[in-house]
Amino acid sequence: MLRSRYSRRIAVFLVSGALCTFTVEVLAQGQLEDEIVANLAGGRAIVHVAKDVIVFAAVDQPVERNSIPPRVMDIDATHIGILFGASEWRSPADPKPFRLDRNFQRVGRADPKYQSASGEGDTDLETIGIAFLEKLRPLVSQLHHKIEFSPDEPIFQIVMIGYAPNDYGPEVWVLEYRMEQEQVATRGDYWQTRIQRPRFTQLYPPEKHAPRTIVESRYPPDRKGPTLAEMIQGNDPNITHLWSGQSRFEKVIENIRGGQAQKAVAIDSADFMRAVLPLIAGGSKFVLGTMEERRGFEWIVPPDEPVEKAQEDKSRPPDAPTLRRTPKP
């Protein structure tokens, strides 16, 4: 929860190793600003790319009391996003929260000012990233107190799952958004807060010749505990009984351990994930779904609320430039 108000004490909850609480005094300047509160979503995103299908899950692991769950949104016809961190913002002046998973519309043509200086990355990924950036900017700019946080701690994170264009195939990306602050000397203890452009990390596909297995992303990023892939490789007793006597699950495990998870049968992979998630989630809530290139995504275990579809930007040309790497044979 991020709070910003003159003339009052502010509790700022950010993640630094374990979740830490920082108390910041803000000096009165003669008038009050509206308080803005960011509700944080924490947990795990687990993705199994199987044969002709992507099986994905999100496990709710709160970072603070009354945290919101990770939310899944429809980004476009071939991608969904799992949102972590500050995905919901509230202001006392408006009883309705501002949610980053609502009314999302893809940016159309790539703006030259947003092109990567290094020439690497993905323009179509960046248009999605910049669309979220533009939503975050007016919210983050309302934070005018000093926040003690590591520059490497993302305030907002998206796990983007789907199929890239031009027969690139299945892909999983993590988009991370960080903040930076600058003190305004003429206004005393007053800080300008800016949101930085997103950083992109590709989780899938792996580099050439690297094993293809289940991939996972967490928020906070340093949340402890073994991943599902590590539990499978280590014969964790909590899940080994699942495939005991289940030949179809044994084959899924064999593919995962052999670094060929993409060869696992779709229905068997989905059923395996449905069976294993309650064991690794404990009492936490989770959602589970599948994504297919032609049919889009479908729920196996749906969220408590419906997912709103993104509005497609008709102005984006089909041959718009992309920064995705050329598919490897």
Side-chain angles (χ1 to χ4, degrees):
M1 182 176 293
L2 304 178
R3 301 178 183 269
S4 176
R5 182 194 285 272
Y6 285 146
S7 307
R8 67 172 294 172
R9 183 174 296 271
I10 300 168
V12 179
F13 298 93
L14 286 175
V15 181
S16 179
L19 189 68
C20 299
T21 302
F22 303 95
T23 303
V24 183
E25 289 285 358
V26 181
L27 300 179
Q29 298 293 331
Q31 69 180 66
L32 293 178
E33 288 189 1
D34 286 340
E35 178 184 85
I36 189 165
V37 175
N39 295 326
L40 303 180
R44 304 163 64 178
I46 305 171
V47 187
H48 173 23
V49 178
K51 184 177 182 180
D52 300 324
V53 71
I54 303 173
V55 186
F56 66 89
V59 181
D60 181 14
Q61 295 177 319
V63 297
E64 60 187 7
R65 180 180 293 183
N66 299 324
S67 286
I68 58 174
R71 291 188 171 121
V72 180
M73 64 171 292
D74 183 17
I75 293 179
D76 60 26
T78 57
H79 292 89
I80 60 101
I82 304 176
L83 309 187
F84 293 96
S87 64
E88 179 180 288
W89 298 69
R90 292 178 178 269
S91 170
D94 187 354
K96 185 177 181 180
F98 183 90
R99 288 176 47 169
L100 293 172
D101 61 324
R102 296 286 175 87
N103 303 317
F104 177 83
Q105 182 174 350
R106 287 193 64 179
V107 175
R109 300 175 183 275
D111 191 325
K113 70 181 179 182
Y114 294 134
Q115 296 298 318
S116 298
S118 64
E120 298 180 355
D122 304 290
T123 300
D124 50 347
L125 290 175
E126 284 208 352
T127 58
I128 294 172
I130 296 302
F132 283 100
L133 178 69
E134 295 301 340
K135 284 192 173 185
L136 283 166
R137 271 183 174 146
L139 302 169
V140 173
S141 66
Q142 296 180 52
L143 302 173
H144 296 303
H145 57 277
K146 176 61 176 174
I147 303 174
E148 300 296 335
F149 67 98
S150 168
D152 290 327
E153 293 172 354
I155 184 176
F156 178 60
Q157 181 173 299
I158 309 168
V159 179
M160 196 178 78
I161 303 161
Y163 294 87
N166 304 319
D167 297 322
Y168 184 82
E171 63 178 355
V172 181
W173 291 82
V174 177
L175 286 64
E176 294 180 319
Y177 295 77
R178 294 166 172 80
M179 296 186 301
E180 61 181 0
Q181 290 190 297
E182 180 181 4
Q183 188 172 20
V184 180
T186 58
R187 302 190 62 177
D189 191 14
Y190 184 94
W191 296 77
Q192 287 184 341
T193 309
R194 301 181 182 89
I195 193 76
Q196 298 178 344
R197 296 174 71 251
R199 300 183 187 180
F200 300 87
T201 302
Q202 186 170 351
L203 299 185
Y204 194 95
E207 294 295 329
K208 190 175 182 180
H209 302 310
R212 299 192 175 216
T213 185
I214 294 176
V215 297
E216 188 167 331
S217 178
R218 302 184 178 192
Y219 188 92
D222 54 5
R223 187 181 289 274
K224 305 301 182 183
T227 66
L228 176 55
E230 290 170 343
M231 294 174 73
I232 292 172
Q233 295 289 352
N235 290 317
D236 190 289
N238 292 318
I239 59 175
T240 51
H241 73 278
L242 286 179
W243 58 83
S244 178
Q246 291 270 0
S247 59
R248 63 194 189 107
F249 285 177
E250 288 180 358
K251 186 61 177 177
V252 172
I253 295 301
E254 180 182 331
N255 289 133
I256 294 172
R257 285 177 172 166
Q260 296 181 322
Q262 80 282 5
K263 295 183 178 181
V265 176
I267 185 64
D268 295 342
S269 298
D271 288 347
F272 169 74
M273 290 286 285
R274 179 64 183 90
V276 78
L277 272 173
L279 301 178
I280 65 175
S284 300
K285 290 186 177 182
F286 63 87
V287 296
L288 176 67
T290 61
M291 168 72 87
E292 296 183 33
E293 189 166 14
R294 295 185 181 276
R295 298 176 58 184
F297 82 87
E298 297 181 355
W299 289 115
I300 299 174
V301 179
D304 294 334
E305 60 184 7
V307 174
E308 295 190 358
K309 292 189 179 242
Q311 302 176 23
E312 288 294 332
D313 189 344
K314 305 297 184 181
S315 65
R316 180 173 174 79
D319 58 347
T322 177
L323 297 175
R324 284 188 175 90
R325 297 196 297 266
T326 302
K328 296 179 180 179

